[in-house]
Amino acid sequence: MSSPSINEEKENSHRPYGSTSTYPSENVANRPDFVGTRMMDGKEVELHTWNGPDDPDNPFNWSMKYKWILTVTICFISILTGLPAGSYGAGNDYMAARFNVQNEPFPNLYWATCSWNVGAALFPLVFVPLTENTGRMPGYFAAYIIFELFLFGSAFADNFATLVVTRFFGGGASSVSINIVGGSISDVWKGDKARSLPMSLFGFTSVAGIALGPFVGSAIVQIRKPDVGLDAPWRWIYYIQIIYNAALIPMFYLILKETRGDVILASRAAKLRKTTGRPIFAESELEKTSIASQLKISFMRPTKMLLTEPVVIFFTLWISFAWGILFLFFSSVVQTFGANYGFNTFQTGMIQLAITVGALIGTLINPIQDWLYLRTASKNQERPGKPIPEGRLYTSIPGSILFTGGLFMYGWSSQPSIHWIVPTIGVCIVGVGIYSIYMGVVNYLTDAYEKYAASALSAASLGRNAFGAFLPLASFSLFETLGFGWAGSLLGFIGAILSVVPVVLVWKGEEIRRRSPFMLESTYDVEEATERRHSASRRNSMV
């Protein structure tokens, strides 16, 4: 999941009408989409922009109906591409026999989910930034088709190594698709208030898409098929997903259209050049950087932030542990409910629906968080009228406490003498916590780092997918060695320690932001960036 996402270019994507300071030529000065001229390769060219503030091609001006159709569609894509992450494990018993893989005491079959998450961590760093120039739609369809092709590879795998490799690429393509969703939402919904509900929906689908996987996979393997050849139940987990994903591609093609403002303007400028023969260009065409430069920035900046920015470091640890627990439940729920209650694969898949229920509860509560956040605008002395970034964390603090409490409840109530509904409620509470932590991290990093938000989110995504890849490898030994209660307690204690992170940010957030070089430079307003630096220098000299 990782993701999340929201992009640092969201403001630059839709430059306001008349935003450049150049001198219009007399013969085009009365054209509403003309804002001046620039030099390009030693020649003067005309700049093309929106036809005024109400240009219908501007995604911000699209009808409310279509915006919601697009939002629901791309969030549905995030569910579809997230499902295989968790559905895979439902076929463990069949794959262990087919590939002669020993799954206890070490969960060797989990290496295929580990490779999925490693791909999910790495691919967005490389490919998501390219959608800034190529557009969101080519990114969606390229990722979706690659995702579909590697589902084929997994379905027809003849050995376990093939599964590990194909799921690496499938997970990478899935993560690219999910990460583009946040960018599309920021492309069409303008302002924090308008974007709050769409982002809540995206946050829900990011968690639910993965959490629904075990249920979907366990339901599919109930199909009575002989465990031989290409008709084995575990292969049908992939067959069915291949069928419905392929069937939906034409529908997505008919519904979706490009949301990236710069790409729309560049396309219009290209048509004008062709029809008029005049040198008309969109501003993004004049400022393009090479793919090599984009990739360098997409790797170097998140890495630097992950090593030097305390906020990014601790937020990454916070969300990474929560994401690791999400994947750890894929194996631990099977282990605990199988041992204590004799549940089969389908029944444990049903139990894991509790995570999705928890995420849904978090989504229904999230409007309260948005209301609290918007109210902080009247108290902001740094930037009057703009909400305070720490306002994004108010409900994530109790959410993080719920996350911790849910882990304790899950561990200590997983006993044959206690009804199975009690640990299931614990799993649901953990789901509420995972959602609130996810939304708190995504929204805070976006607000605090503004134009560097994509890099901050990439760093967090890298960390959370790495935890999702490797933490669950310890699941069986952890619960087997310590016992269910103490294993849950150990995880709960770690969650409790990390719950301090949002508390410190709410308490000392303004001071922390003043000491961050990235945050001081992150605003799109040049004058404000200068004032931030001067203010920080004055305050630091007084200390």
Side-chain angles (χ1 to χ4, degrees), residues 392-436:
R392 292 291 196 184
L393 302 174
Y394 291 153
T395 59
S396 67
I397 294 175
S400 191
I401 295 172
L402 283 174
F403 173 73
T404 298
L407 289 171
F408 278 105
M409 183 177 179
Y410 168 66
W412 286 107
S413 62
S414 292
Q415 301 178 32
S417 59
I418 299 177
H419 194 279
W420 60 265
I421 195 64
V422 180
T424 302
I425 292 173
V427 173
C428 180
I429 292 172
V430 171
V432 176
I434 291 172
Y435 174 85
S436 64

Side-chain angles (χ1 to χ4, degrees), residues 315 318 369 389-397 440 444 502 505-506:
F315 265 50
W318 188 35
Q369 165 60 58
E390 288 73 38
R392 292 291 196 184
L393 302 174
Y394 291 153
T395 59
S396 67
I397 294 175
Y444 180 84
L505 260 294
V506 169

Side-chain angles (χ1 to χ4, degrees), residues 1-307:
M1 214 141 195
S2 251
S3 173
S5 138
I6 305 173
N7 293 277
E8 61 188 317
E9 76 277 2
K10 64 183 180 181
E11 299 291 339
N12 287 340
S13 298
H14 310 287
R15 298 181 184 275
Y17 171 61
S19 62
T20 58
S21 57
T22 51
Y23 299 97
S25 303
E26 293 182 3
N27 60 329
V28 292
N30 60 347
R31 209 177 70 221
D33 63 337
F34 174 80
V35 291
T37 62
R38 286 277 184 87
M39 299 303 294
M40 179 181 180
D41 298 330
K43 297 180 181 179
E44 187 179 48
V45 299
E46 302 171 24
L47 288 184
H48 174 71
T49 188
W50 304 116
N51 295 322
D54 300 318
D55 190 328
D57 286 344
N58 188 331
F60 286 151
N61 296 328
W62 291 349
S63 70
M64 190 65 66
K65 178 181 178 180
Y66 179 72
K67 285 183 180 181
W68 275 113
I69 290 174
L70 181 138
T71 300
V72 171
T73 301
I74 59 180
C75 286
F76 185 49
I77 289 175
S78 79
I79 290 180
L80 294 177
T81 53
L83 285 174
S87 63
Y88 159 85
N92 277 352
D93 292 341
Y94 301 102
M95 289 184 289
R98 171 65 180 82
F99 299 127
N100 195 28
V101 175
Q102 185 176 347
N103 208 38
E104 293 182 9
F106 187 83
N108 286 294
L109 284 171
Y110 191 82
W111 285 115
T113 297
C114 178
S115 68
W116 175 280
N117 280 311
V118 172
L122 298 177
F123 275 48
L125 287 176
V126 178
F127 296 108
V128 171
L130 300 182
T131 65
E132 299 173 20
N133 290 329
T134 63
R136 310 294 190 198
M137 292 308 113
Y140 277 124
F141 286 102
Y144 200 84
I145 291 171
I146 292 171
F147 164 78
E148 179 81 348
L149 290 174
F150 281 98
L151 284 181
F152 266 100
S154 297
F156 295 101
D158 285 330
N159 52 65
F160 186 60
T162 301
L163 268 178
V164 173
V165 173
T166 55
R167 282 180 61 81
F168 170 79
F169 288 100
S174 165
S175 187
V176 168
S177 181
I178 293 171
N179 273 272
I180 298 173
V181 173
S184 290
I185 289 175
S186 67
D187 287 342
V188 302
W189 298 96
K190 187 175 183 179
D192 295 320
K193 188 173 183 179
R195 214 162 28 234
S196 61
L197 186 55
M199 282 305 299
S200 295
L201 180 62
F202 173 50
F204 168 72
T205 57
S206 297
V207 176
I210 296 172
L212 283 170
F215 168 72
V216 171
S218 63
I220 292 173
V221 296
Q222 299 307 303
I223 301 173
R224 298 304 177 189
K225 296 288 181 182
D227 187 18
V228 294
L230 297 178
D231 214 22
W234 71 269
R235 295 187 189 273
W236 276 94
I237 295 174
Y238 294 101
Y239 293 159
I240 290 179
Q241 292 182 88
I242 288 169
I243 291 169
Y244 65 65
N245 278 303
L248 287 169
I249 290 176
M251 185 182 299
F252 294 149
Y253 182 79
L254 293 174
I255 293 175
L256 300 177
K257 61 182 180 180
E258 184 56 56
T259 64
R260 175 78 172 151
D262 283 350
V263 173
I264 295 171
L265 286 173
S267 177
R268 292 201 329 189
K271 290 179 181 178
L272 286 171
R273 288 197 299 272
K274 185 176 180 180
T275 56
T276 67
R278 299 208 321 253
I280 302 174
F281 291 86
E283 189 165 356
S284 62
E285 295 180 281
L286 309 182
E287 300 176 349
K288 278 187 176 181
T289 57
S290 67
I291 291 179
S293 297
Q294 291 181 56
L295 294 180
K296 181 180 179 181
I297 292 173
S298 69
F299 271 110
M300 296 298 292
R301 187 182 290 154
T303 302
K304 183 178 180 180
M305 295 177 81
L306 196 53
L307 295 174

Side-chain angles (χ1 to χ4, degrees), residues 342-456:
F343 280 15
N344 59 30
T345 300
F346 181 67
Q347 289 171 317
T348 55
M350 290 281 288
I351 294 298
Q352 291 181 78
L353 283 176
I355 301 174
T356 303
V357 173
L360 179 59
I361 293 172
T363 304
L364 296 176
I365 295 173
N366 200 62
I368 298 175
Q369 165 60 58
D370 291 330
W371 178 74
L372 292 171
Y373 166 71
L374 293 172
R375 287 192 67 191
T376 64
S378 61
K379 304 175 183 177
N380 193 343
Q381 297 180 357
E382 293 179 289
R383 306 172 70 181
K386 185 174 178 62
I388 300 169
E390 288 73 38
R392 292 291 196 184
L393 302 174
Y394 291 153
T395 59
S396 67
I397 294 175
S400 191
I401 295 172
L402 283 174
F403 173 73
T404 298
L407 289 171
F408 278 105
M409 183 177 179
Y410 168 66
W412 286 107
S413 62
S414 292
Q415 301 178 32
S417 59
I418 299 177
H419 194 279
W420 60 265
I421 195 64
V422 180
T424 302
I425 292 173
V427 173
C428 180
I429 292 172
V430 171
V432 176
I434 291 172
Y435 174 85
S436 64
I437 292 170
Y438 179 80
M439 292 302 295
V441 169
V442 167
N443 286 323
Y444 180 84
L445 291 181
T446 300
D447 282 3
Y449 286 95
E450 293 192 59
K451 68 181 181 181
Y452 299 134
S455 295

